[in-house]
Amino acid sequence: MGVTLHTRHSRRFLAQPPSQLELVRPAAEPEVEQLDQAVYDTGLGHPRQAGVMGPPRQGHHHSLHRPPQNAEIEETVEAMSELVQAGKVRHLGLSEVNSELLRRAHAVHPITAVQSEYSFWTRDPETEVLDAMRELGVALVPYSPLGRGFLTGTVKPDSLGDKDFRGHNPRFTGAAGHANQAIADAVAQIAERKGITPAQVALAWVHGQGARLGIRLAPIPGTKRAKWLEQNVAAVQITLDSDDLAVLDPLGDKVVGARY
């Protein structure tokens, strides 16, 4: 699965869930035409809300985000699979699914990847979908591998503005936000000792989980600045030692507050 760059138009979502082909196809084809791309590489579908995500010119994702409310997952995946047959999409994926939904979807059409939030402070995929991913050979695409910026040590909960959704996130606000600061501090201490950034520590941990979990993975940290992009890419070359992991691995049990 390729990761490339494009403009601010690289991701698009639809509010209404296109759960049948007559809705899925019109959602995908305008993205193909506008971005001058004949084929999407991977279609990523989220289980509860449908949408279209048209990333870069090279390596598009046609994304149905969350299983639809008005149809079974099988119906939606079947519709998406017709886009594969039509040559519009090369592979299909899902987002935030559990093992049951993944197996049901995969029975209709092979699923290439599952996109889920994953970091050392959000490890839900390990208990919710990992067994099916191993069984079916499905890759993981971890989003928010930096904990929506919290793990970088640059986010101060008290300074989040009213328009920043993190200001209303249970992990960022009130007593929970202050308690979770100890997690960011632990990451910062490792980063200082190794001469790297906290973001690189968090990403190196995620990159290193593929072998442990027995799956392929490719995290997708978000950034708007080339400086941070270069640091994120460099994290692939960083190896955490046993002392680092002894600190990082237990942090998930110390998180205060729900994801949302």
Side-chain angles (χ1 to χ4, degrees), residues 88-104:
K88 295 296 183 181
V89 177
R90 291 195 178 98
H91 307 284
L92 298 183
L94 300 171
S95 181
E96 295 282 3
V97 291
N98 58 27
S99 289
E100 178 195 0
L101 284 173
L102 177 55
R103 288 191 178 99
R104 287 168 55 189

Side-chain angles (χ1 to χ4, degrees), residues 22 40 59 91 106 128 134 140 145 169 175 203 206 218 221 236 240:
E22 60 267 24
Y40 286 97
H91 307 284
H106 198 277
E128 295 179 355
R134 284 174 175 161
L140 176 64
N169 184 288
L203 285 173
V206 173
V236 177
L240 301 174

Side-chain angles (χ1 to χ4, degrees), residues 167-203:
H168 306 284
N169 184 288
R171 294 187 179 181
F172 285 77
T173 58
H178 290 288
N180 289 331
Q181 186 59 46
I183 295 175
D185 292 343
V187 178
Q189 290 172 6
I190 292 176
E192 183 176 3
R193 184 172 72 245
K194 299 182 78 69
I196 59 179
T197 67
Q200 289 176 321
V201 172
L203 285 173

Side-chain angles (χ1 to χ4, degrees), residues 37-43 57-60 62 80 83-85 87-93 109-110 112:
Q37 181 76 13
V39 183
Y40 286 97
D41 281 347
T42 305
R57 290 178 182 268
Q58 304 172 2
H60 283 35
H62 167 60
M80 294 172 68
L83 293 175
V84 178
Q85 297 168 17
K88 295 296 183 181
V89 177
R90 291 195 178 98
H91 307 284
L92 298 183
H109 188 279
T112 299

Side-chain angles (χ1 to χ4, degrees), residues 18-260:
S19 59
Q20 300 176 18
L21 181 60
E22 60 267 24
L23 296 179
V24 173
R25 186 186 295 278
E29 292 185 342
E31 291 294 319
V32 174
E33 295 172 359
Q34 181 175 357
L35 295 171
D36 191 25
Q37 181 76 13
V39 183
Y40 286 97
D41 281 347
T42 305
L44 286 173
H46 202 302
R48 289 186 293 278
Q49 175 186 346
V52 167
M53 182 167 65
R57 290 178 182 268
Q58 304 172 2
H60 283 35
H61 297 240
H62 167 60
S63 188
L64 168 75
H65 268 254
R66 306 191 191 311
Q69 299 289 339
N70 62 339
E72 297 294 339
I73 189 70
E74 290 86 351
E75 180 184 351
T76 303
V77 172
E78 182 177 4
M80 294 172 68
S81 72
E82 294 192 33
L83 293 175
V84 178
Q85 297 168 17
K88 295 296 183 181
V89 177
R90 291 195 178 98
H91 307 284
L92 298 183
L94 300 171
S95 181
E96 295 282 3
V97 291
N98 58 27
S99 289
E100 178 195 0
L101 284 173
L102 177 55
R103 288 191 178 99
R104 287 168 55 189
H106 198 277
V108 176
H109 188 279
I111 301 299
T112 299
V114 167
Q115 176 181 288
S116 291
E117 181 176 357
Y118 186 63
S119 65
F120 52 71
W121 88 334
T122 299
R123 298 174 66 168
D124 300 18
E126 294 184 15
T127 57
E128 295 179 355
V129 70
L130 178 60
D131 57 341
M133 294 178 69
R134 284 174 175 161
E135 171 190 326
L136 302 172
V138 176
L140 176 64
V141 181
Y143 74 81
S144 295
L146 303 180
R148 297 182 173 83
F150 195 94
L151 302 178
T152 68
T154 61
V155 177
K156 304 302 179 185
D158 293 338
S159 64
L160 295 175
D162 293 338
K163 295 183 179 180
D164 191 325
F165 84 97
R166 294 174 297 179
H168 306 284
N169 184 288
R171 294 187 179 181
F172 285 77
T173 58
H178 290 288
N180 289 331
Q181 186 59 46
I183 295 175
D185 292 343
V187 178
Q189 290 172 6
I190 292 176
E192 183 176 3
R193 184 172 72 245
K194 299 182 78 69
I196 59 179
T197 67
Q200 289 176 321
V201 172
L203 285 173
W205 184 91
V206 173
H207 282 296
Q209 298 310 298
R212 181 181 70 84
L213 299 176
I215 58 174
R216 295 165 295 134
L217 59 77
I220 48 173
T223 183
K224 297 179 180 178
R225 295 176 175 84
K227 174 183 178 180
W228 307 137
L229 172 64
E230 293 169 356
Q231 289 186 1
N232 292 345
V233 171
V236 177
Q237 306 299 326
I238 296 171
T239 300
L240 301 174
D241 59 32
S242 58
D243 291 337
D244 302 327
L245 296 176
V247 174
L248 297 173
D249 287 345
L251 291 181
D253 295 328
K254 300 178 181 180
V255 176
V256 179
R259 286 174 56 198
Y260 297 103

